[in-house]
Amino acid sequence: MSIVEVKVPQLSESVAEATMLTWKKKPGDAIAIDEILIEIETDKVVLEVPAPSAGVLAEIVQGDGATVVADQVIAKIDTEGKAGAAAPAAAPAAAPAASAPAPAQAAAAVTGGSKSDVSMPAAAKLLADNNLKTGDVAGSGKDGRVTKGDVLGAVASGATAKAPVAAPAAKPALQQVAASASPKDLGDRPEERVPMSRLRARIAERLLQSQSTNAILTTFNEVNMAPVMEMRKKFQDAFTKEHGVKIGFMSFFVKAAVHALKKYPVINASVDGNDILYHGYFDIGIAVGSPRGLVVPILRNADQMSFADIEKKIAEFGQKAKDGKLSIEEMTGGTFSISNGGTFGSMLSTPIINPPQSAILGVHATKDRAVVENGQIVIRPMNYLAMSYDHRIIDGREAVLGLVAMKEALEDPSRLLFDI
């Protein structure tokens, strides 16, 4: 037998641990080299773990839902094994007792105990709490011992009339917590408890951080999108033929934002202790929705990008977000962000600043509205802009004038060509 270890890939310096999602193979299955065995979720991205060698999956060391760190062994591959061979007894091992199992694995979690126990200490307490006896629950531990996971599974499947046992106290911040394996039966008012993903927990943490550490104000304006729409219509076919991608609104918003940030550099700055850190570059974060939550990949050096560069990169980010393929590097940094709630039909919103940035632009749905021009009521395609800013370093004057500069650039796109 020749064993090759499968390890957790390297995580970024800011990521201490990750959560195992669902194994795509089981012990005894044949695997090919580079075949994806499992995905591991950090608080920023989801990483794929490929097989380092072909062979047979001999053992799963860390099960679904386990909390792991970089370089930790999570499985073993027998490069000389035959598919269907019996797996070692340790194969179904779940997450360490300190980490909470994912819902689907709640019934299979295994905790430690002495060999002489009929039921392990934690399991014994849960049995007593739910008026169960050892004989009421099938044991999956060594020598048929009843584990905590066995009791939780029995409770969730209705072995007792009492409500499911509460999960142990969650670890701080980004730890997942145990959840009921099925919805609570409350007649016509059902409930279901599910754990936050690491990404969702991280989003929640950063939003609270932003609101508690920034002095957030929001300024609003409206922009007539007719000039941009006319320009897109005029050049769309030629642009698509030349660059292989359609020109959208977002590239205009990015260009307009960079135009304003050059005029008012403090909007592109950030707070660092008691200092204001002015950035001599323009890295624009683009908020993108994904199945696992909101992510903000970065357009690096956006001031040096063409309209085509921006559109291609945004399309790439959108696909990667959908597939869960965005890298940590693609979402790290940024000096200013843009959030486009208009894609979902939003009329107006107050976006929250993405730390450590000091401002964010919110754009919304473009709708025909009645406006007054030269004393006459006319119909124009209008978009409401909202810019939230950190009032600690950005005064109202800079914020308002910065948003006006964006408005003027969008209402007269030729300004972007001449930087005026």
Side-chain angles (χ1 to χ4, degrees):
M1 177 183 292
S2 179
I3 297 295
V4 173
E5 295 179 333
V6 181
K7 296 183 179 181
V8 176
Q10 285 296 319
L11 308 176
S12 72
E13 293 181 1
S14 62
V15 177
E17 56 188 21
T19 298
M20 305 276 287
L21 295 182
T22 304
W23 280 97
K24 302 179 184 296
K25 295 286 186 177
K26 62 182 183 296
D29 286 352
I31 54 178
I33 189 171
D34 292 331
E35 183 176 5
I36 302 304
L37 301 178
I38 192 171
E39 293 178 333
I40 297 180
E41 183 182 48
T42 73
D43 56 17
K44 293 183 177 180
V45 296
V46 174
L47 304 173
E48 293 181 332
V49 180
S53 177
V56 171
L57 186 58
E59 180 183 0
I60 291 178
V61 179
Q62 298 295 333
D64 299 355
T67 297
V68 294
V69 297
D71 287 330
Q72 183 173 349
V73 177
I74 57 175
K76 296 179 180 179
I77 297 173
D78 181 0
T79 60
E80 299 175 357
K82 296 181 180 180
S99 62
Q105 278 64 48
V110 179
T111 57
S114 67
K115 293 184 179 180
S116 60
D117 291 337
V118 175
S119 61
M120 300 177 189
K125 184 178 185 304
L126 293 180
L127 286 169
D129 289 343
N130 288 272
N131 295 326
L132 291 171
K133 298 179 181 179
T134 303
D136 297 331
V137 180
S140 64
K142 188 174 182 180
D143 299 326
R145 286 176 292 173
V146 175
T147 70
K148 180 175 66 173
D150 296 330
V151 182
L152 288 172
V155 171
S157 63
T160 175
K162 296 183 66 173
V165 178
K171 293 174 70 176
L174 302 177
Q175 294 298 317
Q176 290 184 314
V177 297
S180 300
S182 59
K184 290 172 65 177
D185 185 5
L186 300 176
D188 61 349
R189 292 165 58 81
E191 292 180 348
E192 182 177 6
R193 182 185 298 271
V194 296
M196 282 189 183
S197 65
R198 282 184 173 271
L199 177 57
R200 172 54 58 188
R202 180 59 171 167
I203 291 171
E205 179 184 339
R206 287 180 63 81
L207 292 178
L208 286 175
Q209 173 193 352
S210 179
Q211 289 193 313
S212 64
T213 60
N214 295 326
I216 302 177
L217 288 181
T218 306
T219 182
F220 304 92
N221 216 313
E222 60 181 4
V223 56
N224 178 4
M225 295 295 292
V228 169
M229 295 172 72
E230 291 169 4
M231 181 174 287
R232 288 178 68 238
K233 183 178 180 180
K234 180 178 180 180
F235 294 105
Q236 185 68 273
D237 291 344
F239 186 92
T240 303
K241 183 177 180 180
E242 179 70 21
H243 301 291
V245 64
K246 289 186 176 181
I247 185 169
F249 287 119
M250 188 54 75
S251 53
F252 284 93
F253 288 123
V254 171
K255 286 288 189 179
V258 170
H259 171 76
L261 298 180
K262 288 181 177 179
K263 284 180 171 292
Y264 304 98
V266 71
I267 302 176
N268 195 50
S270 59
V271 176
D272 185 9
N274 290 323
D275 299 329
I276 301 176
L277 182 61
Y278 287 91
H279 305 291
Y281 50 90
F282 304 88
D283 289 353
I284 309 299
I286 305 296
V288 178
S290 76
R292 290 186 171 90
L294 183 71
V295 292
V296 188
I298 310 299
L299 294 173
R300 310 267 178 208
N301 299 313
D303 58 315
Q304 301 173 26
M305 299 178 73
S306 67
F307 279 81
D309 293 335
I310 294 171
E311 293 295 346
K312 289 177 181 178
K313 202 64 179 178
I314 290 175
E316 177 187 331
F317 284 154
Q319 188 59 49
K320 283 187 173 182
K322 181 180 178 181
D323 297 338
K325 305 295 186 184
L326 283 169
S327 68
I328 292 176
E329 291 72 20
E330 288 173 319
M331 294 188 291
T332 301
T335 59
F336 183 84
S337 290
I338 301 176
S339 177
N340 186 6
T343 58
F344 307 107
S346 174
M347 181 186 78
L348 195 61
S349 66
T350 54
I352 298 178
I353 297 169
N354 184 23
Q357 300 167 24
S358 296
I360 180 172
L361 174 68
V363 299
H364 304 90
T366 298
K367 300 289 185 181
D368 285 343
R369 306 187 193 282
V371 297
V372 177
E373 290 183 359
N374 301 319
Q376 300 294 319
I377 298 177
V378 295
I379 303 298
R380 295 288 184 263
M382 304 300 293
N383 191 309
Y384 295 139
L385 303 181
M387 188 173 76
S388 294
Y389 60 99
D390 188 349
H391 206 10
R392 291 180 300 168
I393 64 170
I394 303 174
D395 291 332
R397 175 183 180 275
E398 284 75 18
V400 171
L401 291 178
L403 192 57
V404 168
M406 297 179 202
K407 166 187 168 70
E408 292 175 345
L410 291 167
E411 292 186 336
D412 186 2
S414 60
R415 287 174 174 267
L416 298 175
L417 299 176
F418 301 105
D419 196 25
I420 56 175

